[in-house]
Amino acid sequence: PTCYVGATKLLVVALSQNTLRDLPQPPTAALKATHDSSEFRGVVLTAPAADGAVVSRYFAPWNGIPEDPVNGSGHALLAPFWADRLGEAKPRLRFQSEFASARGGSMECELAEDRLAVILHGRCRMVVEGVLRV
């Protein structure tokens, strides 16, 4: 399955876990050849994992991001995308997500019961620190 979220200009593509993990690191040239970034600004590739979790990778070469090692905005989309697909009798509102990037990482995604909010839980790494004066 594939879904496109126009407001965020992100494309979500579901694959098998093996296909996702076996992709070149990262497939920048192939992605850039698909379009000029006018349609979408990033691609989230995702797959169900054997343990009931989700695995994903995020690419945005049109914006100078060959691969984001751990991506929160993509997971704000993955929570509603996977809630109904992972659930058996009812939607699964909380699940673990693993990033298959070279650096890797993980987070827990939680979709609010009203489906109006996504809460991301996990550890983070400070990569930039500064002051913004407006």
Side-chain angles (χ1 to χ4, degrees):
T2 301
C3 85
Y4 172 71
V5 182
T8 61
K9 294 188 88 174
L10 288 178
L11 180 68
V12 176
V13 180
L15 305 167
S16 74
Q17 184 176 220
N18 288 341
T19 301
L20 180 65
R21 291 184 186 279
D22 292 342
L23 284 173
Q25 302 275 336
T28 303
L31 287 171
K32 285 180 111 174
T34 62
H35 76 99
D36 63 1
S37 82
S38 61
E39 295 177 54
F40 47 86
R41 64 177 179 87
V43 176
V44 181
L45 301 180
T46 185
D51 58 2
V54 168
V55 63
S56 68
R57 293 175 72 182
Y58 177 84
F59 306 99
W62 311 275
N63 298 308
I65 304 168
E67 181 170 13
D68 191 340
V70 179
N71 182 270
S73 63
H75 280 71
L77 296 177
L78 290 182
F81 180 83
W82 282 112
D84 294 321
R85 290 168 173 85
L86 292 176
E88 294 169 13
K90 63 179 189 171
R92 192 155 152 220
L93 301 178
R94 196 172 185 135
F95 60 89
Q96 191 68 26
S97 181
E98 174 196 344
F99 296 86
S101 63
R103 188 181 91 194
S106 66
M107 72 172 63
E108 188 174 60
C109 301
E110 180 180 359
L111 180 61
E113 286 193 38
D114 62 7
R115 295 178 171 253
L116 296 177
V118 174
I119 301 109
L120 303 175
H121 306 268
R123 299 177 57 105
C124 65
R125 177 184 296 177
M126 179 73 70
V127 292
V128 176
E129 184 175 359
V131 175
L132 177 63
R133 296 174 197 226
V134 181

